[in-house]
Amino acid sequence: MKKLFISTLILTLFLSSCASVNSVSLTPIPAERGNKVFTTASKTIFLGFNFDNDFIDQSVEDLKRQCPNGKISGVLTKDENINYFLYFVWKKQITVTGYCQKYAAETTTGKK
Amino acid sequence: MTILFLASCAQLHHVQIGEIDNHPKFVQKPFDIKLSEVGVDIQEAGRITKALAGKDSNNEAKKIADIIALFQMGPRTGHPVYTKGYAKNLIQLIYEKCPSGRVTGLASIRETRKYPVVSGEIVKLTGYCLLPKGG
Amino acid sequence: MNKIVILVFVVFGFACTHSLHVSHVSDFAPTYKSYEQGELVKARAEQFVVLDFAFDTDYVDQAYARLQQACPKGQIQGITTQYSTDHGFMSWTNVIEMQGLCIK
């Protein structure tokens, strides 16, 4: 019974996670909100060994791919920590949500 | 002791910088807004009391500080403050500085000025108000 | 003297404390409207946490959605986003407050 209790406790500690927000920011929100774009980038960190934060750079590229020839506004940037086991292992996650507004295509008529 | 109490440390927690519009038809007038509240670290107060008090009060001060810590649990940036919403009216303050709303180059800074036991929990906002050239 | 110190501790210690983590103000572009030309809209969302057992951060997305609902067909400029925590007894409440000027 005691072994079962300890095993359940250890399993719960390993499988559960605790999420917390580090920082959040929001840019001006447009009137047109039909086309939502979303990306998330994360990195798992062991024992605090983290030598760079380059994983964030892909977020901007990913959003640009989702909105070619357009402008992304109403950008919500959420920086969160997800702790897996007593901060021996945790995940740093950046979630970015926004709205894409396509620019009107220009037509060339050749008229003089 | 005087030097310890008069000296302070500045600590930066978060900074974000917005778009900067250098439009040639406008002049940029800088402004800044500073909102602050006094933060108190009960744990540090307990440690100082423990160091200064007599032997008998040592354990008492520590016990009280530990009990109080249970009532003030949670994530903290700088020291905890007793007033909520001291930085609530930022938009109104920005419009006081720049009534037209033509604001650019906004830098939002969250910092702490640390003193023994107390601290200044500061929200600072700097920016530029765009004024048309020629009045 | 010691009793006075203890009393001060008790008075300050058991009062409610708060901590402001982030305060961000967004741009006013491209609308650049004055205060009178818009309407102040606000949104707030909370998460009550006991002993750090918090499994998601959805309250941020809730505040984002509520702010948009407060200004359904307008643009929102100068958005102030504040993330703070209200401390309590072995628990706390994470709070996101957003306010902006709705331009229709």
Side-chain angles (χ1 to χ4, degrees):
Chain A
M1 189 69 190
K2 196 179 170 184
K3 272 186 188 171
L4 179 68
F5 174 73
I6 292 167
S7 320
T8 313
L9 192 66
I10 291 168
L11 202 66
T12 313
L13 275 170
F14 268 104
L15 292 178
S16 67
S17 61
C18 290
S20 63
V21 172
N22 271 344
S23 116
V24 61
S25 65
L26 181 57
T27 70
I29 297 174
E32 275 174 53
R33 299 168 203 164
N35 192 4
K36 199 168 192 174
V37 294
F38 168 86
T39 186
T40 181
S42 62
K43 187 173 184 184
T44 307
I45 298 166
F46 294 94
L47 294 170
F49 287 104
N50 181 36
F51 302 105
D52 63 74
N53 290 313
D54 297 344
F55 71 99
I56 300 165
D57 301 336
Q58 72 183 61
S59 300
V60 176
E61 297 304 317
D62 194 22
L63 283 172
K64 280 167 75 175
R65 262 195 301 273
Q66 292 181 52
C67 188
N69 302 321
K71 179 181 169 184
I72 304 176
S73 319
V75 180
L76 175 75
T77 309
K78 192 167 66 167
D79 169 13
E80 52 182 325
N81 274 353
I82 302 166
N83 169 31
Y84 286 109
F85 180 58
L86 302 173
Y87 274 100
F88 285 117
V89 182
W90 76 87
K91 185 162 80 169
K92 199 108 178 86
Q93 184 164 288
I94 309 294
T95 309
V96 190
T97 316
Y99 294 100
C100 175
Q101 296 163 282
K102 296 273 190 190
Y103 289 120
E106 287 180 7
T107 54
T108 50
T109 58
K111 265 192 181 176
K112 282 189 184 174
Chain B
M1 197 68 128
T2 316
I3 293 168
L4 263 174
F5 272 93
L6 291 179
S8 70
C9 276
Q11 194 178 3
L12 176 68
H13 301 296
H14 286 280
V15 60
Q16 281 134 325
I17 297 172
E19 279 179 6
I20 301 167
D21 188 356
N22 279 330
H23 202 290
K25 286 189 179 171
F26 290 91
V27 166
Q28 292 179 357
K29 184 184 164 195
F31 67 86
D32 71 87
I33 296 165
K34 225 176 188 177
L35 298 166
S36 67
E37 187 56 46
V38 177
V40 180
D41 187 357
I42 293 285
Q43 297 291 310
E44 195 173 335
R47 282 193 293 272
I48 292 175
T49 308
K50 190 179 160 183
L52 295 175
K55 229 180 181 180
D56 297 330
S57 304
N58 262 0
N59 288 333
E60 246 181 67
K62 191 181 179 317
K63 276 180 197 167
I64 290 171
D66 289 343
I67 292 168
I68 288 169
L70 291 174
F71 283 85
Q72 296 178 354
M73 272 186 119
R76 49 191 66 187
T77 299
H79 292 163
V81 299
Y82 290 96
T83 309
K84 208 168 150 175
Y86 64 95
K88 236 177 11 181
N89 299 325
L90 266 175
I91 293 184
Q92 287 87 340
L93 291 169
I94 292 168
Y95 275 107
E96 270 176 35
K97 298 279 184 180
C98 190
S100 67
R102 284 202 161 268
V103 174
T104 193
L106 280 170
S108 310
I109 298 155
R110 172 71 180 92
E111 60 179 347
T112 294
R113 247 205 191 256
K114 278 177 93 165
Y115 300 92
V117 181
V118 296
S119 64
E121 300 301 325
I122 302 163
V123 171
K124 194 163 93 174
L125 188 71
T126 60
Y128 295 89
C129 184
L130 294 172
L131 302 168
K133 269 184 185 167
Chain C
M1 179 63 187
N2 289 332
K3 283 185 179 156
I4 294 168
V5 169
I6 288 164
L7 185 66
V8 168
F9 258 110
V10 168
V11 165
F12 279 99
F14 291 101
C16 293
T17 56
H18 316 273
S19 187
L20 176 65
H21 311 295
V22 175
S23 179
H24 172 253
V25 181
S26 80
D27 300 307
F28 285 61
T31 42
Y32 284 133
K33 296 290 183 196
S34 64
Y35 196 74
E36 294 76 29
Q37 289 173 296
E39 180 200 343
L40 189 69
V41 292
K42 299 182 186 185
R44 179 191 164 101
E46 295 180 357
Q47 180 194 49
F48 181 67
V49 179
V50 177
L51 290 175
D52 214 6
F53 284 104
F55 303 109
D56 58 64
T57 55
D58 294 346
Y59 63 104
V60 178
D61 304 307
Q62 281 167 18
Y64 181 46
R66 282 175 195 168
L67 187 71
Q68 290 173 71
Q69 280 161 20
C71 184
K73 286 176 185 169
Q75 287 179 286
I76 311 177
Q77 72 174 44
I79 301 173
T80 313
T81 309
Q82 293 189 343
Y83 165 45
S84 60
T85 300
D86 300 336
H87 303 130
F89 178 67
M90 297 178 80
S91 63
W92 54 88
T93 306
N94 292 321
V95 180
I96 295 281
E97 283 175 299
M98 294 177 178
Q99 18 177 327
L101 202 70
C102 175
I103 313 291
K104 286 190 177 161

